[in-house]
Amino acid sequence: MYQEVPSVSLQRLTNRRHAPRHMISSGIKVCLTAFDSNYDCEVLDLSSCGARLLLETKLPIGSEVILSHNHCGRVLGTVKWNSPQEIGLELGPGVGRLLTRCNAAQAQ
């Protein structure tokens, strides 16, 4: 028998995040600090609970990091995934909104 799948379930199949991603203006730079090393990287997108950054250095999954932005201060995060040129971070609630506001302020 055919069973209709709710749209929320379909959305989760295509996007594993619980919050929508927000594209960021190109060139937004942040400093990522991990293991007493600093890495300059570019923000590719944000959600209210995470960030995807351009970073060619692999960091161990589960590593605690500090994300610094000159307008938004410092934010704690955890490495959730790596790819050859990108890294995914889980950030505390509301942090994505704060960084998105900073992005909007820089665009003005």
Side-chain angles (χ1 to χ4, degrees):
M1 177 173 263
Y2 176 78
Q3 181 180 4
E4 186 172 327
V5 178
S7 62
V8 173
S9 296
L10 289 176
Q11 183 179 17
R12 286 191 180 148
L13 288 174
T14 58
N15 185 358
R16 296 177 306 182
R17 282 125 205 96
H18 298 290
R21 287 183 179 183
H22 302 283
M23 297 307 291
I24 300 300
S25 301
S26 66
I28 300 296
K29 301 286 186 182
V30 293
C31 178
L32 182 73
T33 304
F35 306 110
D36 297 325
S37 295
N38 294 323
Y39 305 92
D40 291 324
C41 46
E42 184 176 340
V43 178
L44 299 174
D45 64 41
L46 292 170
S47 71
S48 61
C49 56
R52 182 170 62 105
L53 308 175
L54 184 62
L55 181 69
E56 295 184 10
T57 301
K58 285 194 171 191
L59 298 173
I61 294 173
S63 300
E64 292 186 5
V65 299
I66 299 171
L67 190 65
S68 303
H69 185 274
N70 56 354
H71 290 109
C72 298
R74 295 166 41 148
V75 175
L76 297 177
T78 304
V79 176
K80 287 299 186 177
W81 58 266
N82 285 296
S83 74
Q85 295 181 331
E86 297 178 358
I87 189 168
L89 302 178
E90 179 179 50
L91 303 174
V95 172
R97 271 194 316 273
L98 181 61
L99 290 174
T100 301
R101 286 183 194 144
C102 288
N103 178 51
Q106 280 189 328
Q108 294 177 352

